[in-house]
Amino acid sequence: MGIAVNLVTYLGGTMHLSSSASANVVTDFMGTSFLLCLLGGFLADSFLGRFKTIVIFAFIQTLGTAALSLSTKLPKFRPPPCHSAENCKQANGLQMGILYLALYLIAIGTGGLKSSVSGFGTDQFDEKNEEENTQMAYFFNRFFFFISLGTLMAVTVLVYIQDEVGRSWAYGICSVSMFTAILVLLYGTKRYRYKKSQGSPIVQISQVVVGAIKKRRMDLPYDSGFLYENTPEGSRIHHTNQFRSLDKAAIVAEGDIDKNSSNTPNPWKLCTLTRVEEVKMMIRLLPVWATTILFWTTYAQMITFSVEQAATMHRTVAGFQIPAGSLTVFFVAAILLTCAFYDCLIIPLWKKWKGTPGFTDLQRIACGLGLSTLGMAAAAIFEVKRLSVAKRHTVSSAEPLPISVFILVPQFFFVGSGEALIYTGQLDFFITRSPKGMKTMSTGLFLTTLSLGFFMSSFLVSVVKKVTGNNGGNGWLADNINNGRLDLFYGLLTVLCGINFGAFLMCAAWCKKVKGQVSAKIEMENC
C-alpha cells in the first residue's frame, strides 16, 4: 500500500504521464497483484504448502521493493524535470520498462503471499473445537485490523517520506520491513500447525467436469446412494440436488472399476460423490464472487482520482502541508474504527441477542456494498463543488484551489467503512463455504474480485475517455481534472453500484435458500 497509494503522483509528476494513464498503471498493477493470487493458491495447494509459499513469495516481494527503490534513485531511470508545459518529456520505453519490472516483481510476490497467509492463519484453529472455532470469528476481523495498521503507516509515514525525503528511502524501508517480517515468521516455525497439500483443486474440478461430459448421455439413478462413493464416512459431504448434471461424473459405468485390482478408479472416468459435491460448493461461490467485483472498482478511485483531486486542493493545516496521498489516512481510519467498533461492540451484543458472533458473512458484504454506493454518491456531489471553485478561480497548475481538501473525507470514510465489512465478509464467506482441500484456491478466488475490480476501473476509464473525448480537452477524464467532468464519472459509478447492490441481494437470498435446503435435507436424513 505504501507503493500503490502514492504511485499515481509519481507517474504524473516525475514520469510525466497523463492523469488517466497514471490511474490505469496503478489499477493494472494492483489488478495483476491480486490476479496472481490464483497462481499462488495453485502452488500452495498442489506443491509447496501455505507456509513455504508465504516465505518464498515474501522474498520475491522484498526483491521487487528493493528494485523499485533503485529505479527511483538513479536519474537515468526517469525523464528530466519539466521546465514548461511545452518542454515536458514523458518517460521512455527503457525507463518505464525498469519501473514495470520492479512493480511486477512486487505483484508476483503479493500474489503468492496474499493467497496463503489468511488460509495459513485459519489452519491454526481447530474447527471441531468449539472454543477455537469461536476464536476464528475474531481472527478474520483482527487479521484485517492489523493489515490496516500497516496501511495506516503507509499513508502517513511512508507517503510523507516519499514526498519530503525521497521515494527511494521510502521503498527501501518497505524492503527492510518485509525482510524483518520474514525473519519473524520463520522464528515461529516450530509453533505452527501445518496442513498437507491435497493436490491441485483445478485438476480435481477438471476431473469432475470431464467425467460429467463423458457420461452426459447416461441417466442418473433414482437414488443418490447408487452413485460412487469411497470417501471415509467422517469426510463425506451430503448429496444436494443442485447442478445434477455434475452427478453423472459419479455414475459407475462398465469398466470404471476393475474388480481384480485394488487400485482406485481412474478419477478422469469416475469421481466420488463427495468430489462432485466439492465442485458444487465452489460453483455456489460464483454469484457472490461476481457481485462483489464492482466494490473494488470504487476502491480503486480512492487511490487514483481521489488522490489527484486532493493534489489540486488546499491541504495546509497549521503551516504543515498534508501530502495528497496521505489524505487516504481517513480511509484507513474508517477501516480501523469500523473493525474496532465491530469487534468490541457488535460481536458481543449480537452474540447475546442472536446467539451468533456478529453479522453473517453475507450481511457484512451487503453493508459494505451499500456504503460504497453512498461513498460514490458523496464523491460525485463534492466533485461538483470542487469543479465550481475551479471554474471561478483561474490559478496556475502549481497553486492549490481555495477549497479545503477535507470535503473529500466523507467519500473516503464511506468506502473505507465499506471495505472493513466487505473484506472480512468475503474472507469469511470464501474460506468457510469452500471444501477443506480448496481453501487456498477459494482465497485466491476472493482476491481475484480485487483484481477484476481494478481491471474494470482501467476498462471504464478507457471507455469513458474514448466516448467523451480523449484529447485532454472537454472529456469527462481530461488530462487536467480541473478541465474534466469527474463528477459525471463518479455518478456513473454510483448508478452501477446501485444496480450491482440489487443483484447481490438476489444472489444472497439464493445462497441463503440453498444453505437452508441443504440443512433441512441433512436433518431429514438423520431423522
Side-chain angles (χ1 to χ4, degrees):
M1 286 303 297
I3 294 160
V5 77
N6 205 30
L7 184 60
V8 68
T9 60
Y10 177 74
L11 293 167
T14 303
M15 305 301 273
H16 308 150
L17 301 188
S18 67
S19 170
S20 56
S22 300
N24 280 358
V25 169
V26 175
T27 50
D28 287 345
F29 160 63
M30 295 291 283
T32 304
S33 298
F34 291 110
L35 186 63
L36 288 169
C37 290
L38 283 177
L39 173 64
F42 171 76
L43 293 174
D45 283 334
S46 306
F47 306 108
L48 299 174
R50 289 169 188 157
F51 180 73
K52 288 181 181 177
T53 302
I54 292 169
V55 174
I56 291 170
F57 282 85
F59 269 115
I60 294 173
Q61 193 178 49
T62 305
L63 290 174
T65 52
L68 188 61
S69 179
L70 284 175
S71 74
T72 55
K73 178 68 176 175
L74 301 178
K76 65 180 178 180
F77 293 140
R78 58 180 184 268
C82 288
H83 298 293
S84 65
E86 293 78 18
N87 190 27
C88 202
K89 189 178 180 181
Q90 279 194 7
N92 60 35
L94 174 63
Q95 291 164 342
M96 289 303 297
I98 296 296
L99 179 65
Y100 283 139
L101 175 64
L103 289 176
Y104 286 97
L105 271 176
I106 296 168
I108 292 169
T110 301
L113 183 61
K114 279 191 171 290
S115 65
S116 299
V117 73
S118 56
F120 185 65
T122 58
D123 286 347
Q124 311 312 308
F125 301 92
D126 184 0
E127 294 179 8
K128 296 178 181 178
N129 183 308
E130 187 176 345
E131 183 181 351
E132 291 194 20
N133 197 32
T134 301
Q135 289 173 342
M136 190 164 20
Y138 287 91
F139 165 75
F140 291 116
N141 201 52
R142 292 174 183 175
F143 172 74
F144 187 59
F145 180 85
F146 281 102
I147 288 176
S148 300
L149 279 180
T151 304
L152 181 63
M153 293 293 292
V155 302
T156 52
V157 178
L158 283 179
V159 168
Y160 179 80
I161 292 173
Q162 287 171 19
D163 286 358
E164 303 298 328
V165 180
R167 287 183 182 265
S168 58
W169 279 97
Y171 299 147
I173 290 171
C174 289
S175 294
V176 173
S177 300
M178 280 299 300
F179 186 73
T180 305
I182 294 169
L183 296 180
V184 174
L185 180 73
L186 292 173
Y187 180 74
T189 300
K190 294 181 180 178
R191 302 167 189 238
Y192 302 133
R193 292 174 177 173
Y194 301 91
K195 291 186 179 179
K196 294 182 179 179
S197 301
Q198 299 181 2
S200 169
I202 296 175
V203 172
Q204 295 169 14
I205 292 170
S206 300
Q207 288 171 345
V208 171
V209 172
V210 169
I213 292 173
K214 285 181 177 179
K215 296 175 181 178
R216 64 188 180 279
R217 300 186 186 280
M218 299 182 70
D219 295 325
L220 286 167
Y222 67 90
D223 188 343
S224 62
F226 290 105
L227 296 173
Y228 178 69
E229 183 65 281
N230 69 349
T231 308
E233 189 69 34
S235 301
R236 292 183 182 182
I237 302 175
H238 289 272
H239 176 257
T240 58
N241 289 321
Q242 271 190 319
F243 314 118
R244 294 205 68 196
S245 59
L246 293 175
D247 290 345
K248 294 186 178 184
I251 296 175
V252 181
E254 186 176 354
D256 282 349
I257 300 177
D258 186 355
K259 295 181 180 179
N260 298 321
S261 173
S262 59
N263 294 330
T264 56
N266 183 346
W268 292 96
K269 291 183 178 180
L270 180 63
C271 300
T272 65
L273 186 58
T274 291
R275 179 60 51 79
V276 172
E277 289 299 323
E278 287 179 340
V279 174
K280 290 182 182 181
M281 288 175 71
M282 294 300 292
I283 293 174
R284 290 188 194 106
L285 302 178
L286 296 181
V288 171
W289 172 83
T291 50
T292 51
I293 290 171
L294 194 62
F295 172 84
W296 300 105
T297 300
T298 64
Y299 170 92
Q301 311 318 309
M302 298 301 106
I303 61 173
T304 53
F305 288 118
S306 290
V307 174
E308 290 191 50
Q309 285 176 288
T312 68
M313 302 169 76
H314 182 73
R315 309 190 305 276
T316 303
V317 177
F320 174 76
Q321 181 164 301
I322 303 169
S326 288
L327 197 70
T328 50
V329 69
F330 294 104
F331 182 78
V332 182
I335 293 172
L336 293 172
L337 288 171
T338 304
C339 285
F341 179 78
Y342 185 82
D343 199 21
C344 299
L345 192 63
I346 298 296
I347 288 180
L349 288 178
W350 216 254
K351 196 168 185 180
K352 288 181 180 179
W353 183 30
K354 295 283 189 178
T356 56
F359 300 148
T360 66
D361 44 16
L362 292 173
Q363 287 170 340
R364 275 176 280 166
I365 294 171
C367 290
L369 291 176
L371 287 168
S372 71
T373 305
L374 291 175
M376 282 295 96
I381 292 168
F382 291 120
E383 176 61 6
V384 171
K385 175 66 175 175
R386 194 194 68 83
L387 285 175
S388 68
V389 173
K391 288 176 181 177
R392 288 198 309 267
H393 294 80
T394 305
V395 296
S396 68
S397 59
E399 185 181 343
L401 296 172
I403 181 172
S404 174
V405 75
F406 295 112
I407 69 164
L408 301 181
V409 169
Q411 66 199 58
F412 283 105
F413 191 85
F414 279 126
V415 179
S417 296
E419 187 191 351
L421 293 168
I422 201 169
Y423 192 101
T424 55
Q426 279 185 290
L427 196 60
D428 191 352
F429 179 84
F430 282 93
I431 287 182
T432 59
R433 301 198 187 206
S434 62
K436 288 183 179 179
M438 299 186 184
K439 290 191 183 297
T440 305
M441 180 185 173
S442 67
T443 304
L445 188 66
F446 147 53
L447 292 170
T448 59
T449 63
L450 283 76
S451 169
L452 294 175
F454 286 115
F455 285 136
M456 184 178 288
S457 177
S458 296
F459 173 74
L460 281 174
V461 167
S462 299
V463 169
V464 167
K465 274 188 71 78
K466 187 172 183 179
V467 171
T468 65
N470 61 356
N471 59 357
N474 298 318
W476 286 10
L477 303 175
D479 289 347
N480 183 339
I481 62 171
N482 290 340
N483 300 327
R485 291 300 307 271
L486 189 58
D487 57 323
L488 296 180
F489 180 65
Y490 283 158
L492 173 64
L493 281 172
T494 304
V495 173
L496 292 176
C497 285
I499 295 170
N500 182 72
F501 182 61
F504 171 79
L505 292 179
M506 290 189 288
C507 293
W510 177 77
C511 285
K512 190 175 180 182
K513 183 180 177 183
V514 168
K515 189 177 180 182
Q517 288 175 342
V518 173
S519 300
K521 181 176 178 62
I522 292 171
E523 287 174 9
M524 287 292 289
E525 288 177 353
N526 290 339
C527 181

